[in-house]
C-alpha cells in the first residue's frame, strides 16, 4: 500500500475544520498542517487526539509540512497568495473558493501547466450540484429565458455564489452564442431589484439563517 497523500488545509474556520476532520478520517490521506492568515493559535487538535501545526504564512507552511496537495476553501483575496507560494514549491492545489477572478484562473492554469502540476478548481464539490449544473446546460438549449434563484446561509461572504455563476456560464456556453432574452421592467419602485445578471441570466441570491 502506498503512503497516504500529505494534505495541507488552507483555512481553519468552520469549513477548514470540516475538511481537516474529513482528511483525518480517510486512510489514504494524512493531514500535515493548516494555514490561515488570521489564525491566533499554533496547533489544531484532530478527532483522534493528535495535533497538527497551524501557520499564518503560506510559504512557511508549505516549506515545513511538504504537502502533496493543498485543499483551499477560503476567499478570493487569500487564494492567489496561496497559489504564489504553492506552485514554485511543487504543491498541487484543490480549490473550492468562490469568486475567483477569471484572469487569476487563466493565469493559474498557465502556471500549473508550465510547472507540470495538476490543479482543480471546482465551483461546487457536491454531486447533486454538479448534476444540477449539467442538467441546466442541457435544458438551456430549449428555453428562451432563464433565471437562477440560489440559497445559502447568512454567513456566506459572496453573492451570487460561485456555483450560481458557474451554472449561468455553462448554460450560456451550451447555447452556442445565442443569447437569453431578459425581462427589463418598465417600473422599478425599488432600485436594483433586477440588476444582477450574468450575460442575460438574472440571478437572485437568498441569504437566510438556517439555509
Amino acid at each position: 500500500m502506498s503512503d497516504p497523500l500529505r494534505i495541507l488545509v488552507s483555512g481553519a474556520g468552520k469549513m477548514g475544520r470540516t475538511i481537516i476532520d474529513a482528511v483525518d478520517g480517510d486512510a489514504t490521506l494524512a493531514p500535515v498542517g493548516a494555514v490561515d492568515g488570521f489564525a491566533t493559535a499554533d496547533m489544531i487538535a484532530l478527532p483522534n487526539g493528535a495535533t497538527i501545526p497551524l501557520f499564518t504564512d503560506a510559504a512557511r507552511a508549505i516549506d515545513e509540512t511538504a504537502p502533496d496537495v493543498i485543499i483551499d476553501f477560503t476567499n478570493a483575496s487569500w487564494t492567489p497568495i496561496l497559489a504564489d507560494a504553492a506552485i514554485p514549491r511543487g504543491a498541487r492545489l484543490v480549490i473550492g473558493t468562490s469568486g475567483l477572478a477569471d484572469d487569476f484562473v487563466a493565469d493559474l492554469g498557465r502556471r500549473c501547466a508550465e510547472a507540470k502540476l495538476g490543479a482543480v478548481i471546482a465551483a461546487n464539490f457536491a454531486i447533486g450540484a454538479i448534476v444540477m449544473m449539467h442538467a441546466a446546460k442541457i435544458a438551456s438549449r430549449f428555453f428562451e429565458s432563464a433565471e437562477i434563484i440560489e440559497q445559502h446561509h447568512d454567513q456566506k461572504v459572496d453573492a451570487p455564489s460561485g456555483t450560481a455563476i458557474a451554472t449561468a456560464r455553462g448554460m450560456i456556453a451550451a447555447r452556442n452564442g445565442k443569447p437569453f432574452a431578459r425581462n427589463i421592467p418598465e417600473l422599478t419602485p425599488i432600485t436594483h431589484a433586477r440588476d444582477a445578471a450574468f450575460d442575460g441570466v438574472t440571478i437572485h441570491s437568498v441569504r437566510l439563517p438556517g439555509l
Side-chain angles (χ1 to χ4, degrees), residues 124-175:
N124 199 303
F125 281 81
I127 293 175
I130 300 303
V131 172
M132 177 278 295
M133 293 165 73
H134 180 65
K137 291 179 185 178
I138 296 171
S140 69
R141 301 197 302 269
F142 303 99
F143 293 88
E144 295 306 309
S145 299
E147 302 198 5
I148 294 172
I149 303 173
E150 53 104 359
Q151 301 182 137
H152 285 89
H153 56 84
D154 61 334
Q155 300 301 309
K156 186 165 178 59
V157 298
D158 57 330
S161 67
T163 300
I165 294 172
T167 301
R169 181 178 284 120
M171 292 165 62
I172 293 158
R175 290 171 64 81

Side-chain angles (χ1 to χ4, degrees), residues 22-194:
V23 170
D24 187 52
D26 189 325
T28 66
L29 307 175
V32 295
V35 57
D36 189 318
F38 297 102
T40 55
D42 57 6
M43 301 294 287
I44 288 182
L46 301 177
N48 62 11
T51 60
I52 56 173
L54 174 59
F55 303 87
T56 56
D57 181 82
R60 182 187 169 203
I62 299 167
D63 287 340
E64 295 195 17
T65 63
D68 299 304
V69 173
I70 303 173
I71 301 176
D72 175 58
F73 278 73
T74 54
N75 59 72
S77 61
W78 169 258
T79 299
I81 297 172
L82 180 71
D84 287 345
I87 294 172
R89 290 168 172 81
R92 297 158 183 84
L93 292 162
V94 174
I95 299 171
T97 298
S98 294
L100 297 173
D102 291 343
D103 288 349
F104 166 74
V105 174
D107 184 61
L108 180 66
R110 178 188 59 77
R111 293 167 66 192
C112 286
E114 290 175 353
K116 294 182 171 57
L117 287 174
V120 173
I121 297 179
N124 199 303
F125 281 81
I127 293 175
I130 300 303
V131 172
M132 177 278 295
M133 293 165 73
H134 180 65
K137 291 179 185 178
I138 296 171
S140 69
R141 301 197 302 269
F142 303 99
F143 293 88
E144 295 306 309
S145 299
E147 302 198 5
I148 294 172
I149 303 173
E150 53 104 359
Q151 301 182 137
H152 285 89
H153 56 84
D154 61 334
Q155 300 301 309
K156 186 165 178 59
V157 298
D158 57 330
S161 67
T163 300
I165 294 172
T167 301
R169 181 178 284 120
M171 292 165 62
I172 293 158
R175 290 171 64 81
N176 297 318
K178 183 181 178 182
F180 281 109
R182 180 171 182 261
N183 163 265
I184 304 296
E186 294 182 14
L187 299 175
T188 53
I190 300 176
T191 58
H192 310 304
R194 290 186 58 78

Side-chain angles (χ1 to χ4, degrees), residues 6-40:
R6 297 173 61 82
I7 308 295
L8 175 68
V9 176
S10 173
K14 183 177 180 180
M15 189 65 197
R17 290 305 304 261
T18 299
I19 295 169
I20 290 168
D21 291 349
V23 170
D24 187 52
D26 189 325
T28 66
L29 307 175
V32 295
V35 57
D36 189 318
F38 297 102
T40 55

